[in-house]
Every structure is written in structure tokens, then in C-alpha cells.
Amino acid sequence: MTAIAENPSTGTLPRRRGIFPRPTKTTGALSWLTTVDHKKIGIMYGIGALIFFVVGGLEALLIRAQLATPNGEVLSADLYNQVFTMHGLTMIFFVVMPLGAAFINYLLPLQLGARDVAFPRINAVSLWIWVVAGLFVYSSFFFEGAPNGSWVSYFPQALVGPDPAGNLASDAVAIQQSRMLFYSMGLQIAGVASLASAVNFVTTVLNMRAPGMTLMRMPVFSWMSFVTAFLLLFAMPVIGIALWQMMFQIRFAGPFFDPLNGGDPVLWEHMFWLFGHPEVYIMILPAFGIVSEILPVFSRKPLFGYSAIVFSGIAIGFLGWGVWAHHMFTAGLGPVADSAFGIATMLIAVPTGIKIFNWLGTMWGGQIRFTTPMLFAIGLVSMFTIGGLSGVTHSLVPHDTQQHDTYYVVAHFHYVLFGGALFGLFGGIYFWFPKAFGRLLNERIGKLHFWSMLIGFNLTFAPMHLLGLNGMPRRYYTYADGMGWNFWNAVVSIGSLVIALSFAIFVINIIVSRNNPPAGADPWDARSVEWLTSSPPPVHNFDDIPVISDNDELWYRKYASTSDEDAPVRVAAGGSDDENPGGPYGDRVSGKTAKELGIHMPDPSWFPLLLSLGLPIAAYGVFFEDRITMTAFFAVGGILTFGSMLGWALEPSAEEDH
Amino acid sequence: MPADALQPFGPVAEAQDALWDLAYPIAIGVFVLVFAGLAYILVRFRDKGQEELPVQTHGNTRLEIVWTIIPALILVVIAIPTVQTIFDLAREPDPDSLIIDVVGKQYWWEFRYEEAGIWTASELHIPTGRDIYIRLDGSEPGNTTVYGQPPVMHSFWVPSLAGKRDYVPGAIREMRIQADEPGVYPGNCAEFCGLSHANMRFTVIAHSPEDYEAWVASQQEPALLAQDELVQQGQELFVSGACIGCHNITGHPDVDPDAPSRVGPDLTHFAAREAFAGYIFDSPFGEQVEDPDQAMENLRAWIRNSSAIKPGSHMPATQVDGAPVDGEQLDAIIAYLATLE
């Protein structure tokens, strides 16, 4: 919690002591390990996600090397299965979700005019738990191999494994158990991070908004973060339970999904997709929010139909819960269920259509500046349209049984999650980079990045529509010559190289832009209040918490317009009194330090990092059949986790000043 | 014949394709509309360095209602025939439809013609013009366990004839297919099922009704007993090499005719098939074999050690008296298999 001491010099609370000396440094390498500042945490989420993006991208290149030609021999069947499984897990849980979380972490308090999130140390614990979850899952490569059942890991395949005969190795069952436990426990740990973040973001939005910021004055990105947090809050427990059941099923011969013991493999499908479909919106809604911020700024117009965009986002969040069975149209649920879920799926097209049309309406009549963030935002609008339309074709239930589990589906969800979510997120990186690091990225290289990514993306994923309709199933480690799939597979593999190249260009841009001149507080002539404070913002975000009177607060401090029909005119800094009846909002560069202003931020802490380390240690215990070893791991992990919780509880959020 | 979901060769696939034919032009229309609109906006409203800022329009309720209602109406147009087709394809089997039980294994398909009393592997023969009711029978998972592990999910898919349906262990799933013309229609497994998921192919061979009856009659014949010495040797090796533990050959002197069920493919008419090993290798005895020598090499390699050429195959490497099968023994076994027409 943020504590603003009335008079720091006369605190009356007795000083409490932690277990060991509290870290105090707010700069230097060590400060990043102990920080509870939402901005540093957001940046670490972003860097971590981009590192995982490189790993997941290399896995994609391996997949495409294998499939570039018929009867490819780059990977064995076993390795291929591990690689495509890890590609899916990585991109979903360790790239797109955390990249969204990076923006939410960094921006939410700034956009709300808050000093930090509601629970800064829980924020830190989310980050570190996510990091250790990623390391835990990838540590599988050093043991018996990585999970190999695809990201959905349907039963009983997850139980049986690829090779019950044991031709690969004599202890095939033990190997499969180890791989699936990495899946089960790894995602379980990652889920803890998401759940903690969700609670944090919901509380932040509800409690930390600046004076005057009603919910309907909240920037759309904050709104979409709010909806995303609710989706996380309800989706994560479902997969958590399913993963827990999976662990018991595999490690302790539980009955849940094993047909030989009265279990039902379709139960896993229901539980997985009851999480898995909302998960799609968890990944795409932050990108929708980002685009809704970028388009108005570079069109120099307010968002067209603000409330329609907000409510369609809420509607997507709600409807997202009622469509999970559209992933199961081939499972034979019966005509009534198929019809209901087919219609619900079509319904989702309405709010998403509203969003697309409102974005076009935002640009209509504007002054469009083709900056790199704007290009990426337009990329999302156009590429997501394609993904949305192929999504509607999935709702044609009888025809979906032709599309399901083919490359047509692979094409569809890459248009949604790469053409949609990732284009939006890259746009966000270009847009807010100057805010976070004080310098703009190079526009020329940025445009090169955009165009190479757009071309590579379409070269990679557009032909997959054709491959799928021509009968090429997904998750095939090889395909025979003469099926008519050779040409487009070669094109797809070339396209994947172009995407890799585009990412290299992005990395070059980050490197060469280190020496760009300072960007200033508001380089884009933006509209929301995070651009009010300096770039990068001070630890306490704002010297004076802004009072909000409009959902384009910053714009109306810079421009005044007399009516909806007239063009606005620029006014002197400090805001125009006629637009802001509360009067001028004071000097935004006071020159005083936080301490001088009486602002007291939460102090760094070791406990979030220590707590997170306990979870993988305990999880490794599940891998041992020997009870004593298992218990020992549980004990060490448990002591670390619960001991950290105790230390955390005894440690005040902020030390008094002396 | 291509495995193309958009080129239907039977009424089920046609009914599914009709929905695509309805929705695809609409989707293309929306696509063109949005992209043309976007292109127009980007050209017309680009920043030309003008002094005056654009008017700050916040929205237009009437316009927003219009673009909410129009997509909803379009979806109603698509939804009605979709629901009709769902229920139409889910109806109970006609009394005169042919019911075929299908069992998915790692990594091949077994087709059981209960009425005719015949089982085939990876080749589904059907008569044209008749409603075929496919029962994906996972109801007795104990029957198909391998090495004590439960059977896994598969998905039965013949793009030219119908969309796919999952094979679910512990349950029965049903679907219909029908072929209008005689022909060979490729199919494959579409639900990830393990190492050789990609090697789990099959074909549907549609015959005219008369040819189909003749095929059934030929399949019902038991295999001939061995005549010459080499074949005789192969027939005996089939027992001493433990092949008979997994593979039934009706007519083989050591097979109990009352309990023919086996975990591996029924080989009674092996030489009449066009392919083997989940339909990934041409059979050297097939009529359409392209390279008989290569096909023979594949068959020999297959019998020696199947998982070396098809990853994860459950068939153990063939051993005779504890030693790997040698060349002469292979010759005998293959000579015997060649007689199984």
C-alpha cells in the first residue's frame, strides 16, 4: 500500500524488525531483484517475455525446418512432439500473456493516476513466480524431456505417452510421467502468478483511481486490463483444478480421466477449454486496449464510441465463458450442445465487429500520422479482421468438423494471437518505449520491422488456410510426398524466416536507439495522463496526483474546443479553465523530490523473490517415488514459501524515515 | 483423389460444404468491405500537415446501432441452416444403412463388419450410394489396451466424404458417411495420438454395390492352407515367431476359429491390401504399387523391426527362438503372406 505520511519526522509507530536487513537500494542490479515498483516489474515482465519469444521463435523455426519438405528429417518424431508442445506453451504462457501483463503492470497505475498498484509486493511475487515457472518448465529438457502432448495435452494420450511399448526407452512410462508432471506443475505455478496479478489489478482499478476518474473516464487500456483481470480471476482456478487432477492422475494413479478406471477423457477437454477459451481473450484484450489508445493519438481524434468499445470488451469477456465447447465440435457432444455453442460462437462476432468498426470510425475524419506504433495498430485491425472472419467459419459446426485440428485452425489462431495480440503488443512497445526509457525508438528501423513482420506473418500463416482445407492435419511431424502440400509448406517455412529476421530488426532498433535524444514527457501529443509525468516517470509516478475531468484528460489540458462541431485549438499549458471547472491543476514539474513532497513509497523486499523460489523446489518433490526424498523437497520448498510469507507479514510495507 | 475438404464426393460432405458455400462469400464480402474502407480512410485522412486539428467527434449512436444490427442479421442468416444441418446429420441410422464398427489403435484403424463377420485394417470398403453408419466404438477400452495402458483418442477423418469425429475411449461416437462414386478416398487420424500420429492413415474404397458384395464374399473366405514347402515354412514361422499372438489369420491351423480377436491387424487377406503399416507403405502385393522392390524392402524391414521405420509402432521386432529373424526365415514368412489373398 502506498503510505503518504502526514508528517514523516514525527512517526509514532514503533519500528518493527525484519528477519534480516531490509534492502534499501533503489538503483543498481540488486535493486531489480528486490524492487516492488510496478514500473520496474513491468519492464522485467517485458524483457522476460521477449527472451521467451526468442526461445519460442527458435522452436517455431525448428518446426518449420522439419516441415519445409516432405519426409523431413531435421527432428525425430519424439523431439518434434516436444518442440511443438513447448512452442505452444511458451508463446501462450511465457510470451503473449506476460507481455500483456508487462503493459498492465507498467501502465495501469500511470493511466489511473496512482502511485503504484494496490499490492506492490504481491506484484513482485507474481513476477518472480512467473519467472521460476518458466525456468521450471524448461528445466524438463535436462531431465526426461519436455512435455509432449501439445498445449492441450488431452487424456489418455497424456497418460499413455507416445510409446507405451517402450521402443524409445525401456522406462517409457516413467519418462512420460516426468514430462507431464513438468506440464502440470509448471503451469500450476504460472497460474499462481496470474491469479495473484488478477486480484491485484482488480483492486487497483477499483481503489486506486485518481480523483475524478470515474469508471467511464478510465482509458480503454485500463478497462481492458480490468476485464482481463476478471477473466484471469475465474479462469485460472479451473485450469488449476484440472492440472491438480492431472498430477494426481499421473503420479498417484487417480481416476479422473482414465477410462479404465471409470474416468472420462472428455472431462479433461471440458475443464481445459473452460479455461482455454477465456484464455484467448486474456491474451487479446490487452492488445485491444493498446490499439484503442494508439489509434486516437495518431488520428488526433477521441476514440469513436468509447462506451461501445468498453461494453463490447465486457461482452466479449462474458461471452468468452459460453463458447468453450466450440473446441470440441468433433468430440460428439450431440446436436443440442453443438447448436448452442455454435450460436454462442457466432454471437461473439458482434462485439468484436463493433470494436473493428469503431476503430475505423476513430480514424475517419482524423489526421492520421503513420508512425511505427500506428502502423502496428493498423496491422492489428486488419489482421485481426481476417482472424475474426475465419473464426466465424468455425461456428458453422458441420463444416468445422472439416476444419478442426487442421492447419486452417493453426492459421486462424495465429491471425488472432500473432496478427492480433502480438501486433498490438509490438505497437504498444513502440508507443510507450519513450515513456519507460525516456527515448524514442528509431522510426525508420521501426517501419522496416513492421513491414518485414507483416510480410513474413502473411507469408507464414495465409497459406496455412489452404493447407488445412486441403486436408493437412496439425501436429504431424512429417507428411508424405504427393499429398499436394509441398509447395505451400515451403512458402510457410520461408515466411517463418522472414518473421525471425523482422525480430532481429527490432532488437537492432532497441540497441541503436540507446543514444536517441530525450523524448520528453509527451512526444506523441497524446491524450491520457501517463504522458503528464516525466519520461521515465519518477518512482512516485506523479508529483501531484492529477484530478481527472475527462477521459482524454491530457488532451483537454492542451486543447480547448467550444463544441463537438468545431476543431479544437491549442491552449497554454496548465489546462483551460472552461474545460476543467475544477480550475488549473498546478505545476506538473515541481522540482521537489518525493520526500520533500511527503510521498512515501513502499520499500524493496527480499520476500517476494524468496517466496517464489519455494514453489519449484516443492514441485520437484512430486517427481520422486521415494517418499523420504519427496517429503524432503516438500519440506524445503514449503519452509521457504511459508517462511517467506511469515517474514513478509512481519515486515511493514514501508520503513519509517529517520 | 485429393483429400480436399472443399471437394465433396458424398451427401454428408456436401451438406457440410453447403454451409461453407453460404458463409465464405459473406466472409469475403466483409473482408473486402473492411479492407476497402480501411484503405480509403488511410489515404483520405492521412496527415497532410494541415494547421487545423480534426473535429473531436466522440461517436454516433445511430451509426453504431446500425453496425451492431447488420452483423447480427448476417449471423442469423448463417445460424439457421447451420443448426438445421447439425440436426440433420445427427439423425438415427436408417434401417437399411450399413453399420461398421471402427476402433482406433496406436497407430492404425480397425474396421469391423459385424454382420459379415470380417475385420480389416486401415482399408474401409463400402458400397456406393448407401448410408454408412460409422460407430467409433471405444466402449470397451479393456479390449484395446496395449501393455496395460488405456487406449488413446483418435479422430476419424475422410475429407472427401465427411468431417472428422473423435474416437473416445470409454464411449461410443457415431457419424455417417456416404460415397456417390466408386473410388479411393484418403483418410487420416486427426487427433494427436502419439509418436506416429502422422503415420495413421487409411483409405475408404467405395465399390459399386455388386463389387462390394463380391469383396465381402472374398473376405469371408478363410485363408488357404500352405501348399509348397517355403509357404509351409512361413506358416509355421508365423507361430514360432509369435506373430500369431497378435495377428489373426482365419484358416491358419493354429488359430481357434471361435476366438479370432487379436490386438494386431487381422491378416487373413493381407495380400489383397494396397498398403500396410497404417497405410504409409505400399504393399508389394498391391495392384497400385509404384515401386514393388522398394515396397518389398519396406515389408522386410517392417517385419524385422517395425518401430525402426515407423516410430512408436507397438509391433515387437520379430524373433524366432530368441534370435532376430534371418533372411531365409523372412523369405518364408513373406511367401506365406503373399498367399493371403
Side-chain angles (χ1 to χ4, degrees):
Chain A
M1 289 287 283
T2 304
I4 301 175
E6 292 272 320
N7 187 346
S9 58
T10 58
T12 49
L13 283 169
R15 180 176 167 80
R16 284 191 285 168
R17 288 202 169 275
I19 296 171
F20 40 74
R22 185 153 193 171
T24 47
K25 286 216 169 90
T26 51
T27 53
L30 214 58
S31 74
W32 290 84
L33 296 178
T34 56
T35 186
V36 295
D37 178 0
H38 72 96
K39 297 181 289 299
K40 281 187 168 177
I41 289 168
I43 289 167
M44 282 192 282
Y45 257 116
I47 292 170
L50 289 173
I51 291 170
F52 275 116
F53 187 62
V54 173
V55 177
L58 290 174
E59 285 159 349
L61 290 178
L62 278 176
I63 292 171
R64 288 321 310 174
Q66 167 75 5
L67 296 180
T69 55
N71 303 312
E73 282 176 359
V74 177
L75 301 171
S76 67
D78 185 42
L79 203 53
Y80 181 85
N81 291 347
Q82 295 175 51
V83 167
F84 85 74
T85 301
M86 290 304 285
H87 169 72
L89 292 178
T90 304
M91 288 304 188
I92 289 164
F93 292 100
F94 300 111
V95 178
V96 180
M97 262 176 103
L99 208 47
F103 282 101
I104 301 177
N105 266 303
Y106 193 90
L107 285 175
L108 192 60
L110 282 169
Q111 285 203 327
L112 297 180
R115 299 223 182 276
D116 205 327
V117 292
F119 309 114
R121 283 185 299 181
I122 286 184
N123 211 20
V125 93
S126 294
L127 168 77
W128 294 115
I129 289 179
W130 169 74
V131 169
V132 298
L135 296 177
F136 176 83
V137 173
Y138 267 92
S139 73
S140 61
F141 278 113
F142 298 107
F143 295 96
E144 309 278 12
N148 58 5
S150 85
W151 91 284
V152 302
S153 282
Y154 279 2
F155 276 89
Q157 149 67 25
L159 192 61
V160 173
D163 182 34
N167 290 318
L168 274 181
S170 53
D171 49 357
V173 173
I175 290 175
Q176 181 64 15
Q177 286 186 344
S178 159
R179 291 176 178 183
M180 294 320 295
L181 286 173
F182 273 110
Y183 174 94
S184 166
M185 303 310 289
L187 297 194
Q188 188 88 261
I189 296 171
V192 173
S194 301
L195 203 48
S197 290
V199 174
N200 208 348
F201 297 148
V202 167
T203 316
T204 303
V205 168
L206 290 179
N207 287 330
M208 309 285 285
R209 280 168 289 132
M213 182 176 279
T214 60
L215 284 176
M216 291 313 283
R217 282 179 192 164
M218 218 160 56
V220 175
F221 176 77
S222 296
W223 252 113
M224 294 304 113
S225 305
F226 191 41
V227 177
T228 303
F230 271 104
L231 288 172
L232 281 168
L233 196 57
F234 294 113
M236 284 301 151
V238 182
I239 190 70
I241 291 164
L243 291 167
W244 203 247
Q245 287 177 323
M246 177 188 240
M247 188 265 284
F248 272 95
Q249 172 85 64
I250 286 172
R251 188 61 188 81
F252 304 106
F256 305 105
F257 312 115
D258 177 1
L260 295 183
N261 282 324
D264 184 356
V266 181
L267 173 64
W268 169 265
E269 292 187 22
H270 280 298
M271 294 188 75
F272 183 85
W273 288 116
L274 186 50
F275 146 80
H277 197 83
E279 170 71 12
V280 174
Y281 300 109
I282 290 169
M283 287 188 273
I284 190 78
L285 282 175
F288 283 176
I290 288 170
V291 167
S292 303
E293 301 291 324
I294 293 176
L295 290 177
V297 168
F298 297 108
S299 303
R300 288 208 165 99
K301 277 184 66 210
L303 191 66
F304 195 87
Y306 167 87
S307 49
I309 291 226
V310 166
F311 282 109
S312 65
I314 297 171
I316 290 169
F318 270 107
L319 287 171
W321 291 94
V323 296
W324 80 87
H326 74 198
H327 299 266
M328 300 158 66
F329 283 149
T330 66
L333 302 180
V336 176
D338 285 354
S339 303
F341 283 98
I343 289 169
T345 304
M346 289 178 194
L347 269 182
I348 281 209
V350 175
T352 31
I354 290 172
K355 274 195 177 339
I356 298 272
F357 291 129
N358 277 307
W359 287 331
L360 294 181
T362 304
M363 289 187 274
W364 184 278
Q367 264 174 33
I368 300 171
R369 289 176 287 163
F370 292 102
T371 58
T372 310
M374 185 64 169
L375 289 176
F376 275 102
I378 296 167
L380 181 147
V381 174
S382 52
M383 294 302 110
F384 181 78
T385 301
I386 298 173
L389 289 171
S390 59
V392 173
T393 64
H394 297 321
S395 69
L396 311 165
V397 180
H399 199 269
D400 177 72
T401 62
Q402 292 279 21
Q403 304 157 10
H404 184 76
D405 267 338
T406 69
Y407 269 88
Y408 186 84
V409 173
V410 180
H412 159 72
F413 69 71
H414 279 94
Y415 266 88
V416 172
L417 293 177
F418 193 141
L422 272 178
F423 270 77
L425 291 163
F426 271 112
I429 291 175
Y430 279 92
F431 188 54
W432 280 294
F433 193 88
K435 178 51 59 183
F437 299 101
R439 287 163 210 289
L440 288 155
L441 286 170
N442 185 297
E443 273 292 301
R444 190 173 289 223
I445 305 177
K447 280 172 184 157
L448 193 62
H449 171 210
F450 167 75
W451 286 110
S452 55
M453 191 159 120
L454 187 77
I455 291 166
F457 167 78
N458 281 293
L459 216 50
T460 305
F461 297 107
M464 287 188 183
H465 291 111
L466 301 172
L467 283 170
L469 293 172
N470 283 329
M472 182 167 171
R474 63 199 282 211
R475 299 179 183 135
Y476 270 22
Y477 79 97
T478 188
Y479 56 95
D481 204 355
M483 307 291 285
W485 302 336
N486 299 6
F487 175 72
W488 288 120
N489 269 303
V491 172
V492 168
S493 293
I494 293 166
S496 67
L497 289 173
V498 179
I499 296 177
L501 178 75
S502 77
F503 187 76
I505 294 170
F506 169 72
V507 174
I508 290 170
N509 199 347
I510 299 233
I511 295 168
V512 303
S513 298
R514 273 181 314 174
N515 300 322
N516 282 359
D522 181 20
W524 304 117
D525 191 11
R527 311 177 75 88
S528 45
V529 293
E530 74 267 26
W531 301 101
L532 193 58
T533 187
S534 61
S535 301
V539 177
H540 51 278
N541 287 354
F542 299 95
D543 289 346
D544 297 304
I545 294 293
V547 178
I548 310 294
S549 64
D550 198 282
N551 55 33
D552 281 324
E553 176 65 22
L554 180 58
W555 175 267
Y556 288 108
R557 291 184 184 205
K558 296 184 291 192
Y559 297 96
S561 77
T562 44
S563 75
D564 253 13
E565 279 80 44
D566 293 330
V569 288
R570 188 147 196 136
V571 295
S576 57
D577 289 352
D578 56 331
E579 279 297 314
N580 303 312
Y585 298 109
D587 187 7
R588 69 175 213 247
V589 188
S590 66
K592 286 181 182 171
T593 65
K595 231 166 226 172
E596 287 166 334
L597 290 164
I599 301 166
H600 202 153
M601 297 304 292
D603 285 325
S605 172
W606 283 105
F607 290 113
L609 180 61
L610 284 177
L611 194 161
S612 69
L613 294 176
L615 297 178
I617 293 174
Y620 280 122
V622 182
F623 291 81
F624 293 93
E625 293 214 30
D626 167 31
R627 290 283 156 104
I628 294 172
T629 318
M630 184 195 280
T631 313
F633 271 90
F634 286 173
V636 173
I639 288 169
L640 204 51
T641 301
F642 290 103
S644 303
M645 284 185 192
L646 186 67
W648 177 324
L650 295 174
E651 182 186 59
S653 74
E655 303 287 343
E656 285 176 61
D657 293 311
H658 289 280
Chain B
M1 202 77 74
D4 188 344
L6 301 182
Q7 282 185 47
F9 282 89
V12 178
E14 272 161 19
Q16 292 164 341
D17 190 49
L19 291 172
W20 175 268
D21 289 343
L22 169 74
Y24 184 62
I26 297 176
I28 291 294
V30 175
F31 171 82
V32 169
L33 200 78
V34 171
F35 274 71
L38 185 61
Y40 176 79
I41 289 169
L42 296 183
V43 172
R44 161 119 192 250
F45 299 110
R46 69 185 191 279
D47 184 13
K48 304 177 194 85
Q50 57 270 60
E51 285 287 303
E52 197 175 76
L53 284 168
V55 177
Q56 303 290 297
T57 38
H58 284 86
N60 183 329
T61 311
R62 201 175 298 166
L63 201 59
E64 288 171 42
I65 289 172
V66 168
W67 67 42
T68 306
I69 288 176
I70 289 177
L73 289 177
I74 293 174
L75 291 172
V76 171
V77 171
I78 299 174
I80 291 169
T82 299
V83 173
Q84 277 173 343
T85 311
I86 291 171
F87 279 90
D88 191 38
L89 292 178
R91 68 168 193 263
E92 291 296 304
D94 296 332
D96 66 335
S97 61
L98 174 63
I99 298 176
I100 299 171
D101 283 359
V102 176
V103 178
K105 313 227 185 175
Q106 272 179 322
Y107 304 92
W108 58 283
W109 296 95
E110 183 161 81
F111 302 115
R112 301 175 175 177
Y113 301 72
E114 293 295 344
E115 218 173 291
I118 52 179
W119 294 13
T120 66
S122 302
E123 271 185 16
L124 177 62
H125 293 256
I126 60 169
T128 54
R130 192 164 159 197
D131 193 24
I132 313 293
Y133 214 75
I134 301 284
R135 280 176 87 243
L136 295 154
D137 189 356
S139 60
E140 291 174 65
N143 289 349
T144 53
T145 55
V146 179
Y147 306 101
Q149 299 280 1
V152 307
M153 283 198 178
H154 303 278
S155 196
F156 180 90
W157 188 31
V158 193
S160 312
L161 300 182
K164 58 192 76 64
R165 176 125 297 170
D166 295 351
Y167 170 84
V168 182
I172 294 177
R173 294 290 187 257
E174 290 152 338
M175 68 181 288
R176 294 164 56 224
I177 61 171
Q178 184 173 333
D180 289 334
E181 302 291 330
V184 181
Y185 303 95
N188 45 37
C189 176
E191 181 65 79
F192 182 63
C193 60
L195 279 188
S196 266
H197 172 50
N199 300 323
M200 190 171 164
R201 304 213 290 266
F202 63 103
T203 51
V204 176
I205 300 172
H207 305 275
S208 66
E210 307 81 52
D211 288 353
Y212 175 73
E213 290 307 323
W215 176 82
V216 169
S218 76
Q219 290 288 306
Q220 284 170 328
E221 294 290 321
L224 295 173
L225 284 176
Q227 302 296 324
D228 71 52
E229 197 184 331
L230 187 64
V231 176
Q232 176 75 31
Q233 194 196 343
Q235 185 175 298
E236 281 160 15
L237 281 167
F238 205 77
V239 180
S240 56
C243 310
I244 207 160
C246 298
H247 297 287
N248 173 56
I249 294 182
T250 307
H252 190 287
D254 291 304
V255 168
D256 174 5
D258 293 330
S261 172
R262 296 288 192 276
V263 295
D266 185 312
L267 298 183
T268 309
H269 297 280
F270 177 76
R273 293 195 196 132
E274 292 293 336
F276 68 98
Y279 224 91
I280 57 172
F281 297 121
D282 280 347
S283 163
F285 317 122
E287 288 169 8
Q288 281 142 27
V289 56
E290 278 179 24
D291 184 349
D293 293 340
Q294 181 61 44
M296 185 59 83
E297 271 313 299
N298 289 338
L299 183 59
R300 294 174 76 90
W302 178 258
I303 297 171
R304 276 182 200 276
N305 185 1
S306 68
S307 64
I309 59 171
K310 178 178 170 181
S313 160
H314 293 185
M315 182 164 122
T318 306
Q319 294 194 327
V320 179
D321 301 327
V325 65
D326 67 32
E328 283 176 29
Q329 291 165 332
L330 258 181
D331 290 341
I333 291 172
I334 288 171
Y336 174 59
L337 290 175
T339 66
L340 302 173
E341 296 224 343

